[in-house]
C-alpha cells in the first residue's frame, strides 16, 4: 500500500471516530494494522474481553513474531487461565490450557508443566510465584502495565502507537477543496451551487437545465470564477461558505522554504503576478526551487495542497511554466485519477547473488558506469581503484595510489605523506558521459582519469583540493560545462573546471568538516546541497552569495543526500555518533522531513550508506544485509543477506537500470546481486564475448600441427590438444586465458557452425590430474549418502546419510581460502558442536537403509527440516539440537520444500501419495493435495507462475496453483520402450532460474519441460546405465548428471553434452567397482563446482582445473537435440551428445 493510501486510511479513521462508528473504527485499525489504539486495548483488557483483546492484537502481531509478541500473548492467556481457576471453573481452565497455552510448551516446556500443575492446587496462590496475586481487577491492572511496556518495546508496533496530528474533519476539508476545484473549472459556474451527490464530478447545469459535459483540460491561463460550494457538514451537503476567491500569491524567493535568510533575498517583480491566475510565474533568473507553490485563499476553511500532495492533484500553472501543465483529476490517466495505489513487485529488486568479485582490500566506494550497466568502478581503503566487467568477473583495469606530480603539491600534503603514507579512497564516481571518472582520497588529493574502454585508463587531472581529507566528489554542468565539485575536512566546498582544474567557486560557511555534496538542478536553476559532521544542511547557488539553506539533518553527524532518478524527490541517509540511522524524504518547499523510514538496527555498526533506484525503491546497507524500502511506504519492504558474508554496514550501489546491486563483504569482496533482468543482462554480455571469440575463430586460418603436438594459429586464439584418443582433439578456448562459463547461445557468424564442428570434441576427464577433486574428511560411521546440499552461503555442505545421521562440513578462512567458500583445494572440517551431539532423525521400525530420507534447509542456513521414515525434526544448525518434532507417521514424509515467500509454510510429500501444506507456526495442515498414485519424490515452487510442481514414484508430474491449491495440470513421463522403472525409482524436479522451465530427473531419462504448458521440450536417454541424479548449476546454464557406472556428465542447459567425467578421475583405485554417486549438489555461487554423495558414504567435491576454469566447451549447434526430439545412442556412437557407455 502506498503512503498516500495509508494516509487515506487515517483520514477515514478520523471520520469514523467523529461520526461515532466505534466498532467500525477499531475493526479498520485492526485490519489495516496502521494504528494501534492503546486506549481501546486498555479498555478491553480491564474489562476482561479476552477474545476482543487477541482479535485486535492479531492485526499487528502473531504469537511467534518475536519474543515481545510471545510474552504479550502469554501474559494475556495466563491471566485468562488464572481467572478461570480463581472462579473454580476448572473445565474452562483446562480448555484454555490445551487450546491457548500449549503453544508455548515448544518454547519453554518446564514453564508449561508448572502452569499445568496449578490445576492440582485448591488455590493457585499456594504457588510461591503467585502468592501476591490479588483480586481480578488489580491483577488486570498490573498485567496491563506490563503489556504496555512490551508493546512499546516491540519493533512491530513502532510508529503505530501515535495517531497523526490532523486538523478536525480533514477528510471533509479535502472533499470541499475538490468540489471547489471542480466548480472552478465549470463553464457555467453558478454563485451558490447546490450539491446533490458526491458520486459524480460536479458540473453546473446551464440556465435552461441542460447538463454540461465535464470540462476539457484547462488552458494555461484559466482564470478564477466566482462562487463556491457550501462547506460539508456531518451527514449533510448543505451549508454556507465564503465564496471561492483566489488571490494573487507572492512570488517565491530563492530556495523558499529552505532558506534561513529568505527575508534578505531579492525577488524580481513580474507583470504576470498581478493578474491573479492559478499558479505562479517564476522569473527566469530566480533561484526558486518550489515544485508546487502553495496558493493562499480568502477561504479559511479550505486547505490547499502543498508540495507533498502532488501525487493527489497537480495544479494548473500559468504561461511561463509550461513544462508542468497539469490536468484536473477527471482527465488524468487512471493511475493518477485518485489516490495512487503503487503496485510493486519485490522480484524487481536485485536480491540474488549473481557473481562475487575478489577485490583484495576493503571496498570504500563503488559506482556503475552510466551507459555500460555491467561496468563497475571500485575504490578501496589502501588507495587502489579498479574497473570491473561484472558479467565475466574480470578486472579490466587496476591502479595503485601514487602522487602524479609531487613537486606541484603543497608542502602540507608532502609532509603528511612523509609522516603517514597510508591513504584511502573516500569516493569514486563516473562522469555523466562515462568518459571520465573522479577519485577523492583521504588526504588532499583528487584524481580525474580519462576512460576510453576496457583497460584504457589515463591520467587527466591531479588537484590538491583540500587541507585534510577530500570527503566527497561530484560532477555538475551549471553552464553546460563539466565541473567537479568537492568537499573536505577544511569545511569548504569547491567547484573546479573539469578541463583545466582551475577553481571556480569556494563556499565557506560550515562550522564542521563537510561530509557530502549533492549537486542538482530544477527549472534551469543549478544548486548544490552540502552536509557537514555537525548535521547541518546548506544549499549553494553557483555564485558568491553564500548559503541559501541552514537546516539540521536527523542524526546530526554523517549524512548523505540523493535525489530519485527523475529528480523529483529528495532523500537523505544519516547515522548519529550513537549509531542511530535514519533515511528520510524531504519536503523541499518547506525544508521539512516529509517521512521517516523505519527498519534500522537499534545501533548500527558503522555509517550506513544508501542508494535509490527506479524512482521507486530505496536501499541501505545495515546489520550485515541490504535493506529495501518502497519510497511511498515507511515500513521496511524486504531484506537480502546476499547469502551471508556482507560487512556490518556494507557499501552498496545500484546500476542505472536497477537490475544489479553491488554490495561489499567483510572478506574484501564485492557481491553482485541481480534480479531476473540482471541475470539476463549478465548472460547477454557473456554471449557477446562468446560471439566475439567465435568470430575470431572463424576468421583465423586453420591450425597447423607441429611434431610436438603444439598448435600454431593466429595470435589471440588459444587451442589445446587432448592427450588421449584422437591425436588432434582441440577445444576452443577464449583469449587471455578466459575461464568463464559461456552462455549457451547459437553463434551468429554464417560459417561458424561449420568451422566449429571441425574442431570441437567432447571433453573427457579420465585422470585425477585433469580436475580438482577432494574427498571430504569423515571419522563417523560410513553409510550411503541419501541427500546432499550446499548451504546457501556456499561455505558448507550438509549430508543426510542412510542411517538418519546428518553430517556438516564447514570451510574455514585460511590464506588459501580467504573467501571461506567451499573448494576442492582446501579440506573443510567435519563440524560438531562442543556437546558432541549429532543431528539424528527419528526412525521407524523399518531398516533405516530402506527408509525414505528428505530434508529442506532454511534460507538463512540457521535450521534444517529433516525426516528419515519417522517424525519430521527441526534442527538448529549451530547447536545441532532438536528444536521440535512433528508429523508422526503414518503417513511418512518423503519430500520437504519451504514455501518461497513464507518460511512457516512447508510443502510435505507423503508416502501415501498426498501432499500436505503445513503451517509450522500454528501446527496445522492447511491443505491436502491428492493426484498422485504413489509416494511423492519431488516438489518445487515457482514464484513466477505461482505454482507448486510435484513428481512421484508413479512417474507423474502435477502442477498445483498456490492460491487455491487446486490441481491445474498433470502429465506422465514418457518412459522409453523396454525400460521398466524399478520399484524405488524416483522422479525429481527442479526449476530453472527463469522459474518457467524445469528439469525432470528419472532413472530412465533427463528432460526439460515448460511448466506453463507442462510440455516436454527436450529429452535425453542413457543406454545400459541408469541416471541416479541430476541438478542445475547455480546459474542454470549447466546440468550435472550422475550415473550408476560412477560417471558424471556435464550438459548445457539445452541437454547438449559438453564434458564426461570418468569415475577414475575422482575415485581411489582401491574403491569398489560398485561405488557410484547417489546424489549430486551444485554450489550456490560457483557454477563450475559440484559435490557427489556416494554409495560408500563419501562426499566428493569436484572442480575443473584452474587453468581450464570450466568443464569442456559448448558443443556446436548442429549437434543439439531437437526441440521436442529424443536422442539415444549405443556404446561407441561418435555423436558427442551422448556419453559412450
Amino acid at each position: 500500500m502506498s503512503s498516500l493510501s495509508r494516509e487515506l486510511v487515517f483520514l477515514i479513521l478520523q471520520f469514523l471516530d467523529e461520526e461515532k462508528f466505534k466498532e467500525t473504527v477499531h475493526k479498520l485499525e485492526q485490519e489495516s494494522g496502521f494504528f494501534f489504539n492503546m486506549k481501546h486495548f486498555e479498555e478491553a483488557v480491564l474489562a476482561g474481553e479476552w477474545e476482543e483483546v487477541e482479535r485486535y492484537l492479531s492485526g499487528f502481531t502473531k504469537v511467534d513474531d518475536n519474543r515481545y509478541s510471545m510474552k504479550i500473548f502469554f501474559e494475556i492467556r495466563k491471566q485468562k487461565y488464572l481467572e478461570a481457576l480463581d472462579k473454580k471453573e476448572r473445565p474452562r481452565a483446562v480448555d484454555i490450557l490445551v487450546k491457548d497455552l500449549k503453544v508455548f510448551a515448544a518454547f519453554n516446556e518446564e514453564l508449561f508443566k508448572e502452569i499445568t500443575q496449578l490445576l492440582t492446587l485448591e488455590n493457585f496462590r499456594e504457588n510461591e510465584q503467585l502468592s501476591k496475586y490479588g483480586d481480578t481487577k488489580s491483577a488486570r491492572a498490573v498485567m496491563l502495565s506490563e503489556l504496555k511496556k512490551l508493546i512499546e518495546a516491540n519493533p512491530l508496533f513502532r510508529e503505530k502507537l501515535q495517531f497523526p496530528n490532523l486538523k478536525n474533519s480533514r477528510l471533509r476539508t479535502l472533499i470541499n477543496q475538490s468540489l471547489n476545484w471542480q466548480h472552478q473549472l465549470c463553464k457555467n459556474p453558478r454563485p451558490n451551487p447546490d450539491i446533490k451527490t458526491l458520486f459524480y464530478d460536479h458540473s453546473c447545469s446551464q440556465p435552461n437545465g441542460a447538463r454540461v459535459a465535464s470540462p476539457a483540460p484547462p488552458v494555461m491561463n484559466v482564470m478564477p470564477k466566482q462562487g463556491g460550494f457550501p462547506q460539508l457538514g456531518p451527514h449533510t451537503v448543505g451549508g454556507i461558505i465564503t465564496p471561492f476567491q483566489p488571490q494573487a500569491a507572492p512570488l517565491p524567493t530563492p530556495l523558499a522554504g529552505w532558506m534561513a535568510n529568505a527575508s534578505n533575498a531579492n525577488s524580481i517583480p513580474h507583470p504576470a503576478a498581478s493578474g491573479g491566475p492559478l499558479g505562479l510565474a517564476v522569473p527566469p533568473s530566480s533561484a526558486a526551487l518550489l515544485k508546487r507553490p502553495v496558493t493562499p485563499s480568502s477561504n479559511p476553511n479550505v486547505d490547499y495542497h502543498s508540495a507533498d500532495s502532488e501525487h493527489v492533484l497537480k495544479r494548473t500553472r500559468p504561461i511561463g511554466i509550461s513544462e508542468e501543465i497539469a490536468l484536473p483529476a477527471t482527465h488524468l490517466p487512471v493511475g493518477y485519477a485518485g489516490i495512487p495505489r503503487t503496485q510493486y513487485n519485490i522480484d524487481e529488486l536485485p536480491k540474488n547473488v549473481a557473481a562475487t568479485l575478489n577485490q583484495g582490500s576493503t571496498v570504500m566506494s563503488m559506482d556503475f558506469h552510466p551507459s555500460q550497466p555491467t561496468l563497475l568502478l571500485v575504490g578501496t581503503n589502501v588507495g587502489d581503484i579498479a574497473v570491473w566487467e561484472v558479467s565475466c568477473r574480470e578486472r579490466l583495469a587496476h591502479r595503485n595510489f601514487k602522487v602524479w606530480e609531487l613537486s606541484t603539491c603543497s608542502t602540507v600534503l608532502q609532509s603528511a605523506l612523509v609522516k603517514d603514507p597510508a591513504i584511502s579512497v573516500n569516493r569514486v564516481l563516473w562522469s555523466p558521459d562515462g568518459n571520465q571518472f573522479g577519485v577523492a582520497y583521504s588526504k588532499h588529493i583528487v584524481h580525474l582519469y580519462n576512460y576510453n574502454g576496457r583497460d584504457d585508463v589515463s591520467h587527466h587531472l591531479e588537484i590538491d583540493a583540500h587541507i585534510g581529507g577530500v570527503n566527497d566528489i561530484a560532477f555538475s554542468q551549471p553552464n553546460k560545462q563539466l565541473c567537479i565539485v568537492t568537499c573536505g575536512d577544511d569545511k569548504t566546498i569547491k567547484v573546479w573546471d573539469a578541463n583545466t582544474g582551475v577553481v571556480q567557486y569556494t563556499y565557506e560557511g560550515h562550522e564542521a568538516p563537510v561530509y557530502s555534496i549533492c549537486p542538482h538542478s530544477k527549472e534551469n536553476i543549478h544548486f548544490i546541497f552540502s552536509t557537514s559532521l555537525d548535521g547541518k544542511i546548506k544549499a549553494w547557488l553557483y555564485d558568491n552569495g553564500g548559503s541559501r539553506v541552514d537546516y539540521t539533518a536527523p542524526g546530526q553527524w554523517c549524512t548523505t543526500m540523493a535525489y530519485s532518478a527523475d529528480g523529483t524527490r529528495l532523500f537523505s541517509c544519516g547515522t548519529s555518533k550513537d549509531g542511530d540511522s535514519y533515511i528520510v524524504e524531504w519536503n523541499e518547499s518547506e525544508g521539512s522531513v516529509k517521512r521517516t523510514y523505519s527498519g534500522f538496527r537499534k545501533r548500527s555498526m558503522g555509517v550506513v550508506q544508501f542508494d535509490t533506484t527506479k524512482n521507486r525503491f530505496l536501499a541501505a546497507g545495515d546489520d550485515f544485509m541490504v535493506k529495501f524500502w518502497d519510497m511511498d511506504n515507511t515500513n521496511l519492504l524486504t531484506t537480502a543477506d546476499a547469502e551471508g558474508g556482507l560487512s556490518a554496514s556494507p557499501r552498496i550501489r545500484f546500476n542505472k537500470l536497477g537490475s544489479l546491486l553491488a554490495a561489499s563483504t567483510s572478506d574484501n569482496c564485492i557481491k553482485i546481486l541481480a534480479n531476473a533482468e540482471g541475470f539476463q543482462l549478465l548472460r547477454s554480455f557473456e554471449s557477446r564475448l562468446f560471439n566475439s571469440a567465435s568470430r575470431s575463430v572463424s576468421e583465423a586460418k586453420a591450425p597447423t600441427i607441429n611434431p610436438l603436438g603444439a598448435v600454431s594459429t593466429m595470435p589471440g586464439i588459444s587451442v589445446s590438444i587432448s592427450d588421449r584418443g584422437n591425436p588432434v582433439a582441440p577445444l576452443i578456448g577464449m583469449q587471455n586465458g578466459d575461464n568463464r562459463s559461456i552462455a549457451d547461445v547459437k553463434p551468429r557468424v554464417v560459417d561458424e557452425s561449420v568451422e566449429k564442428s571441425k574442431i570441437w570434441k567432447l571433453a573427457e576427464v579420465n585422470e585425477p590430474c585433469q580436475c580438482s577433486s577432494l574427498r571430504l574428511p569423515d571419522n563417523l560411521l560410513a553409510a550411503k549418502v541419501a541427500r546432499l546440499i550446499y548451504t546457501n552461503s556456499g561455505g558448507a555442505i550438509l549430508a543426510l546419510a542412510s542411517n538418519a545421521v546428518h553430517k556438516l562440513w564447514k570451510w574455514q578462512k585460511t590464506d588459501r581460502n580467504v573467501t571461506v567458500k567451499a573448494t576442492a583445494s582446501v579440506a573443510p572440517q567435519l563440524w560438531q558442536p562442543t556437546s558432541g551431539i549429532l543431528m539424528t532423525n527419528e526412525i521407524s521400525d523399518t531398516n533405516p537403509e530402506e527408509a525414505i530420507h528428505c530434508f529442506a534447509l532454511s534460507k538463512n542456513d540457521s535450521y534444517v527440516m529433516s525426516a528419515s521414515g519417522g517424525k519430521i525434526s527441526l534442527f538448529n544448525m549451530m547447536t545441532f539440537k532438536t528444536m521440535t518434532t512433528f508429523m508422526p507417521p503414518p503417513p511418512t514424509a518423503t519430500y520437504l520444500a519451504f514455501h518461497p515467500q513464507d518460511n512457516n509454510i512447508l510443502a510435505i510429500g507423503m508416502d501415501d501419495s498426498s501432499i500436505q501444506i503445513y503451517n509450522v507456526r500454528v501446527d496445522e495442515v492447511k491443505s491436502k493435495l491428492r493426484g498422485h498414485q504413489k509416494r511423492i519424490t519431488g516438489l518445487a515452487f515457482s514464484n513466477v507462475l505461482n505454482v507448486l510442481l510435484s513428481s512421484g514414484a508413479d512417474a507423474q508430474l502435477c502442477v498445483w496453483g498456490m492460491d487455491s491449491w487446486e490441481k491445474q495440470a498433470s502429465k506422465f513421463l514418457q518412459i522409453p520402450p523396454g525400460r521398466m522403472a524399478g520399484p524405488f525409482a524416483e522422479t525429481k524436479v527442479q526449476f530453472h532460474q527463469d522459474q518457467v522451465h524445469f528439469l525432470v530427473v528419472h532413472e530412465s531419462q533427463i528432460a526439460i519441460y515448460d511448466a506453463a504448458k507442462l510440455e516436454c521440450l527436450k529429452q535425453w536417454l542413457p543406454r545400459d546405465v541408469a541416471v541416479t541424479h541430476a541438478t542445475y548449476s547455480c546459474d542454470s546454464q549447466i546440468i550435472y548428471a550422475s550415473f550408476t557406472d560412477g560417471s558424471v556428465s556435464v550438459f548445457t542447459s539445452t541437454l547438449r553434452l559438453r564434458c564426461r567425467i570418468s569415475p577414475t578421475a575422482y575415485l581411489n583405485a582401491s574403491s569398489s567397482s560398485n561405488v557410484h554417486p547417489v546424489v549430486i549438489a551444485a554450489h550456490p555461487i560457483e557454477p563450475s563446482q559440484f559435490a557427489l554423495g556416494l554409495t560408500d558414504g563419501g562426499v566428493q567435491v569436484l572442480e575443473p582445473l584452474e587453468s581450464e576454469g570450466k568443464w569442456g566447451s559448448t558443443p556446436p549447434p548442429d549437434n543439439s537435440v531437437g526441440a521436442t526430439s529424443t536422442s539415444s545412442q549405443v556404446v561407441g556412437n561418435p555423436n558427442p551428445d551422448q556419453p559412450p557407455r
Side-chain angles (χ1 to χ4, degrees):
M1 182 177 285
S2 71
S3 175
L4 288 177
S5 297
R6 186 173 185 270
E7 292 177 4
L8 179 60
V9 173
F10 281 113
L11 296 178
I12 294 171
L13 285 172
Q14 184 196 45
F15 172 79
L16 294 173
D17 184 64
E18 291 172 344
E19 299 301 314
K20 309 303 181 186
F21 295 115
K22 294 297 183 185
E23 291 186 9
T24 308
V25 168
H26 302 319
K27 183 67 175 176
L28 181 55
E29 289 168 351
Q30 181 257 331
E31 288 192 341
S32 67
F34 291 159
F35 172 64
F36 185 83
N37 192 325
M38 187 66 81
K39 182 179 179 182
H40 170 66
F41 181 73
E42 290 176 5
E43 292 172 351
V45 169
L46 294 176
E49 298 172 356
W50 305 121
E51 289 187 7
E52 169 60 16
V53 168
E54 290 213 20
R55 184 196 66 79
Y56 191 71
L57 273 173
S58 67
F60 302 90
T61 185
K62 300 293 185 294
V63 174
D64 58 351
D65 280 344
N66 56 45
R67 59 191 178 93
Y68 300 104
S69 300
M70 185 178 297
K71 178 72 170 171
I72 290 169
F73 280 96
F74 175 74
E75 290 296 330
I76 293 169
R77 296 176 183 182
K78 183 186 73 173
Q79 179 65 26
K80 183 167 59 168
Y81 175 65
L82 294 178
E83 289 184 15
L85 289 176
D86 208 23
K87 296 176 182 178
K88 309 301 181 184
E89 299 175 352
R90 293 191 179 276
R92 182 167 173 265
V94 171
D95 188 60
I96 295 170
L97 182 70
V98 173
K99 292 183 177 179
D100 295 339
L101 290 169
K102 188 178 180 181
V103 67
F104 301 104
F107 304 98
N108 193 331
E109 191 171 355
E110 292 301 320
L111 178 60
F112 180 73
K113 290 179 180 178
E114 188 174 353
I115 293 174
T116 305
Q117 289 172 0
L118 296 179
L119 288 168
T120 65
L121 303 177
E122 183 65 24
N123 186 338
F124 62 79
R125 293 173 180 82
E126 297 173 16
N127 183 292
E128 182 181 354
Q129 297 183 48
L130 298 173
S131 59
K132 295 182 180 181
Y133 185 93
D135 59 12
T136 298
K137 184 177 180 180
S138 62
R140 289 176 181 173
V142 171
M143 181 194 65
L144 178 59
S145 177
E146 179 67 17
L147 291 179
K148 290 172 70 175
K149 293 177 182 177
L150 290 169
I151 289 171
E152 290 168 357
N154 194 329
L156 295 177
F157 290 83
R158 191 173 299 156
E159 298 184 359
K160 297 181 180 181
L161 300 177
Q162 188 70 35
F163 196 85
N165 186 18
L166 303 176
K167 296 180 181 179
N168 292 336
S169 304
R170 178 63 180 160
L171 185 59
R172 290 194 191 92
T173 302
L174 291 175
I175 293 172
N176 190 63
Q177 291 178 21
S178 174
L179 294 172
N180 273 281
W181 273 107
Q182 292 174 32
H183 184 62
Q184 178 71 14
L185 298 172
C186 282
K187 291 184 177 179
N188 301 281
R190 303 179 64 182
N192 295 299
D194 186 18
I195 304 174
K196 299 295 187 182
T197 180
L198 296 178
F199 292 165
Y200 308 101
D201 287 346
H202 165 76
S203 179
C204 291
S205 58
Q206 293 179 349
N208 61 5
R211 295 291 297 170
V212 180
S214 297
V219 294
M220 292 308 297
N221 58 349
V222 171
M223 298 298 293
K225 299 177 177 63
Q226 296 296 323
F229 284 101
Q231 176 68 41
L232 288 173
H235 304 302
T236 72
V237 290
I240 297 175
I241 62 170
T242 306
F244 179 87
Q245 295 282 359
Q247 298 175 353
L251 289 171
T253 52
L255 290 166
W258 282 79
M259 288 182 53
N261 57 346
S263 60
N264 299 325
N266 297 320
S267 58
I268 301 176
H270 196 280
S274 60
L278 296 178
L280 298 171
V282 180
S285 59
S286 169
L289 300 178
L290 288 175
K291 183 175 178 61
R292 294 285 186 274
V294 178
T295 307
S297 170
S298 60
N299 183 359
N301 295 316
V302 179
D303 294 326
Y304 286 93
H305 294 270
S306 61
D308 62 347
S309 60
E310 62 184 81
H311 296 286
V312 181
L313 181 65
K314 291 188 175 182
R315 292 171 176 265
T316 323
R317 299 173 69 93
I319 295 173
I321 318 178
S322 57
E323 295 88 347
E324 300 201 16
I325 300 176
L327 308 182
T330 53
H331 296 278
L332 291 175
V334 175
Y336 293 92
I339 302 298
R341 289 175 172 78
T342 304
Q343 297 294 328
Y344 54 75
N345 185 352
I346 293 181
D347 291 339
E348 294 180 44
L349 294 169
K351 295 176 59 181
N352 299 314
V353 177
T356 301
L357 314 177
N358 187 1
Q359 178 61 40
S361 50
T362 303
V363 174
M364 300 300 293
S365 178
M366 298 177 288
D367 192 34
F368 277 98
H369 194 277
S371 59
Q372 300 181 46
T374 61
L375 206 63
L376 180 66
L377 176 64
V378 180
T380 76
N381 68 327
V382 295
D384 293 353
I385 57 168
V387 178
W388 287 86
E389 174 51 62
V390 171
S391 63
C392 59
R393 305 170 182 81
E394 181 181 358
R395 183 156 55 187
L396 303 177
H398 177 258
R399 298 291 186 273
N400 297 318
F401 172 78
K402 66 176 182 178
V403 178
W404 300 346
E405 294 290 340
L406 187 61
S407 59
T408 61
C409 294
S410 66
T411 56
V412 178
L413 172 59
Q414 294 183 36
S415 61
L417 291 174
V418 170
K419 184 177 180 180
D420 181 12
I423 197 166
S424 171
V425 171
N426 281 340
R427 183 74 188 273
V428 293
L429 193 71
W430 290 101
S431 64
D433 60 6
N435 293 330
Q436 294 176 318
F437 62 83
V439 187
Y441 292 98
S442 60
K443 292 178 182 175
H444 295 246
I445 290 287
V446 167
H447 279 165
L448 188 63
Y449 288 86
N450 292 323
Y451 183 74
N452 300 311
R454 296 291 296 176
D455 59 348
D456 190 354
V457 176
S458 59
H459 297 176
H460 178 61
L461 281 178
E462 180 176 64
I463 304 173
D464 190 347
H466 295 270
I467 299 173
V470 184
N471 296 323
D472 202 1
I473 186 172
F475 290 93
S476 67
Q477 295 174 299
N479 299 309
K480 297 184 179 180
Q481 180 179 358
L482 186 64
C483 295
I484 308 167
V485 186
T486 63
C487 64
D489 288 344
D490 57 5
K491 307 176 186 178
T492 65
I493 301 103
K494 297 183 180 182
V495 179
W496 313 81
D497 186 300
N499 291 321
T500 63
V502 175
V503 65
Q504 296 180 332
Y505 300 101
T506 299
Y507 303 121
E508 298 179 348
H510 279 288
E511 298 177 359
V514 185
Y515 182 73
S516 71
I517 44 179
C518 178
H520 194 60
S521 64
K522 279 195 173 183
E523 300 175 1
N524 294 322
I525 306 301
H526 295 262
F527 55 94
I528 304 166
F529 278 118
S530 62
T531 70
S532 56
L533 291 182
D534 57 1
K536 294 298 182 182
I537 299 175
K538 294 181 182 293
W540 318 80
L541 298 177
Y542 289 82
D543 58 21
N544 297 311
S547 170
R548 263 60 171 188
V549 161
D550 189 354
Y551 215 74
T552 302
Q556 301 183 30
W557 194 42
C558 296
T559 300
T560 55
M561 305 185 79
Y563 277 89
S564 56
D566 59 7
T568 62
R569 303 175 69 175
L570 177 63
F571 303 89
S572 73
C573 176
T575 302
S576 72
K577 293 181 180 179
D578 295 328
D580 295 323
S581 294
Y582 308 85
I583 290 183
V584 301
E585 181 177 4
W586 290 91
N587 184 330
E588 288 186 80
S589 66
E590 299 176 4
S592 61
V593 173
K594 181 176 179 180
R595 55 171 61 89
T596 301
Y597 300 87
S598 61
F600 283 106
R601 178 188 173 95
K602 184 63 177 176
R603 289 288 185 268
S604 298
M605 292 174 284
V607 176
V608 171
Q609 306 230 337
F610 86 125
D611 202 1
T612 71
T613 187
K614 295 186 175 181
N615 301 317
R616 179 182 295 180
F617 298 112
L618 299 166
D622 179 49
D623 197 15
F624 302 95
M625 65 181 72
V626 181
K627 297 180 177 180
F628 299 92
W629 291 265
D630 175 57
M631 287 181 178
D632 294 326
N633 193 325
T634 58
N635 295 321
L636 187 64
L637 176 61
T638 187
T639 62
D641 64 0
E643 302 172 356
L646 295 184
S647 51
S649 298
R651 267 60 174 175
I652 64 168
R653 193 69 168 172
F654 286 105
N655 71 349
K656 299 306 179 284
L657 303 176
S659 58
L660 300 179
L661 175 67
S664 62
T665 70
S666 57
D667 55 0
N668 301 336
C669 292
I670 303 165
K671 288 193 175 183
I672 305 299
L673 311 185
N675 57 15
E677 179 187 349
F679 279 105
Q680 184 178 1
L681 177 71
L682 296 176
R683 286 195 292 269
S684 69
F685 271 78
E686 285 186 337
S687 301
R688 293 179 195 176
L689 291 169
F690 175 80
N691 289 333
S692 176
S694 300
R695 282 192 291 270
S696 299
V697 171
S698 65
E699 294 165 2
K701 64 181 182 181
T704 56
I705 312 299
N706 64 25
L708 297 178
V711 179
S712 302
T713 184
M714 292 184 69
I717 305 300
S718 172
V719 185
S720 59
I721 303 297
S722 174
D723 58 357
R724 277 173 298 281
N726 192 327
V728 182
L731 298 176
I732 298 178
M734 300 292 289
Q735 59 182 348
N736 300 324
D738 183 18
N739 59 3
R740 295 184 292 272
S741 174
I742 302 301
D744 184 19
V745 291
K746 185 172 181 179
R748 299 177 183 175
V749 180
V750 176
D751 298 328
E752 184 178 345
S753 60
V754 177
E755 187 69 24
K756 287 181 66 178
S757 62
K758 295 178 182 178
I759 61 175
W760 185 89
K761 185 178 180 182
L762 174 69
E764 295 272 1
V765 178
N766 298 315
E767 303 294 337
C769 62
Q770 292 179 279
C771 68
S772 295
S773 173
L774 174 68
R775 187 180 177 99
L776 305 189
D778 189 356
N779 54 11
L780 299 178
L781 179 65
K784 182 177 72 174
V785 178
R787 294 290 180 261
L788 189 70
I789 191 173
Y790 282 88
T791 58
N792 294 295
S793 65
I797 290 178
L798 178 67
L800 173 58
S802 58
N803 61 357
V805 174
H806 298 77
K807 300 177 183 179
L808 179 65
W809 288 271
K810 288 186 177 181
W811 272 260
Q812 308 299 315
K813 186 171 184 177
T814 65
D815 293 339
R816 297 176 59 196
N817 186 20
V818 294
T819 61
V820 201
K821 295 292 184 286
T823 174
S825 60
V826 177
Q829 174 188 357
L830 180 60
W831 197 84
Q832 281 183 273
T834 53
S835 62
I837 63 173
L838 298 174
M839 288 189 290
T840 306
N841 283 333
E842 292 190 9
I843 57 177
S844 60
D845 296 333
T846 59
N847 184 351
E849 295 282 340
E850 299 174 0
I852 305 300
H853 305 269
C854 56
F855 64 21
L857 187 63
S858 66
K859 295 176 183 176
N860 60 2
D861 298 332
S862 61
Y863 59 89
V864 61
M865 294 271 193
S866 185
S868 295
K871 291 182 181 180
I872 300 174
S873 298
L874 176 63
F875 295 103
N876 185 309
M877 287 279 284
M878 293 297 295
T879 63
F880 282 16
K881 289 182 178 179
T882 305
M883 299 169 65
T884 186
T885 60
F886 56 96
M887 286 272 184
T892 300
T894 57
Y895 204 90
L896 303 170
F898 282 107
H899 192 288
Q901 296 162 351
D902 189 347
N903 259 347
N904 291 305
I905 303 297
L906 198 65
I908 307 174
M910 296 294 195
D911 64 352
D912 67 350
S913 76
S914 69
I915 302 169
Q916 298 193 15
I917 307 302
Y918 177 74
N919 189 316
V920 180
R921 180 166 56 191
V922 298
D923 189 19
E924 181 182 352
V925 175
K926 294 294 185 181
S927 297
K928 187 174 288 189
L929 317 182
R930 295 194 176 276
H932 287 276
Q933 301 169 10
K934 294 183 180 180
R935 62 184 172 86
I936 305 300
T937 59
L939 295 168
F941 285 96
S942 170
N943 266 334
V944 172
L945 300 178
N946 199 36
V947 299
L948 169 66
L949 176 67
S950 64
S951 59
D954 56 358
Q956 184 183 189
L957 305 173
C958 293
V959 178
W960 314 83
M962 286 164 56
D963 293 330
S964 61
W965 298 113
E966 293 182 358
K967 185 163 71 171
Q968 297 181 349
S970 64
K971 178 174 284 190
F972 284 91
L973 295 186
Q974 305 166 13
I975 304 296
R979 292 292 295 266
M980 296 295 293
F984 300 104
E986 295 185 344
T987 306
K988 301 290 187 185
V989 288
Q990 181 189 9
F991 269 104
H992 185 279
Q993 201 173 63
D994 63 13
Q995 297 274 289
V996 174
H997 299 92
F998 64 92
L999 178 68
V1000 176
V1001 184
H1002 186 266
E1003 64 178 23
S1004 66
Q1005 63 188 277
I1006 305 170
I1008 305 292
Y1009 277 72
D1010 183 332
K1013 303 175 183 177
L1014 204 56
E1015 175 187 357
C1016 181
L1017 304 178
K1018 297 182 185 296
Q1019 187 184 46
W1020 187 92
L1021 308 177
R1023 290 289 300 271
D1024 303 329
V1025 295
V1027 180
T1028 60
H1029 199 229
T1031 185
Y1032 277 119
S1033 62
C1034 61
D1035 59 1
S1036 297
Q1037 298 304 300
I1038 294 176
I1039 297 172
Y1040 298 107
S1042 57
F1043 303 89
T1044 51
D1045 65 353
S1047 65
V1048 177
S1049 292
V1050 182
F1051 297 88
T1052 68
S1053 59
T1054 53
L1055 287 178
R1056 288 184 285 156
L1057 187 64
R1058 57 186 290 160
C1059 179
R1060 182 179 183 275
I1061 304 170
S1062 169
T1064 56
Y1066 66 89
L1067 290 178
N1068 295 329
S1070 58
S1071 298
S1072 167
S1073 58
N1074 295 325
V1075 175
H1076 64 267
V1078 179
V1079 62
I1080 188 166
H1083 193 284
I1085 300 172
E1086 296 296 336
S1088 297
Q1089 185 187 134
F1090 62 91
L1092 303 173
L1094 307 176
T1095 52
D1096 65 355
V1099 174
Q1100 202 86 23
V1101 175
L1102 281 84
E1103 292 178 302
L1105 293 176
E1106 190 172 347
S1107 59
E1108 297 289 337
K1110 55 188 176 183
W1111 299 104
S1113 59
T1114 305
D1118 56 348
N1119 282 311
S1120 63
V1121 181
T1124 57
S1125 64
T1126 303
S1127 61
S1128 178
Q1129 282 78 27
V1130 296
V1131 175
N1133 192 314
N1135 191 330
D1137 261 358
Q1138 293 291 129
R1141 300 289 185 192

